[in-house]
Amino acid sequence: MEKKSIHEIISTVFKALTLAMGGAVVVLSCLGSLETQTAVTLLGIGLACAGIALLEKR
């Protein structure tokens, strides 16, 4: 098994969070149990994680 650096792990975590926040908004919206303010907050967190992951590229 190849050993990953901490930077690669952090980048992977931020990418996973981005995907999870987007998926959560879609699922909760389909279930009808999501308020607009909550959806915007979740998408904002996902966008911030995506930005961090992209800025970390060398």
Side-chain angles (χ1 to χ4, degrees):
M1 189 167 119
E2 149 184 348
K3 194 171 188 178
K4 292 188 176 187
S5 72
I6 189 72
H7 295 292
E8 292 173 345
I9 293 171
I10 290 173
S11 179
T12 303
V13 167
F14 280 128
K15 289 175 186 175
L17 276 172
T18 300
L19 182 62
M21 291 299 172
V25 169
V26 169
V27 169
L28 290 173
S29 179
C30 288
L31 293 174
S33 62
L34 186 64
E35 296 179 9
T36 305
Q37 184 177 2
T38 307
V40 170
T41 302
L42 289 174
L43 291 174
I45 292 170
L47 185 59
C49 289
I52 291 170
L54 288 172
L55 284 174
E56 198 172 351
K57 294 261 183 190
R58 295 179 199 150

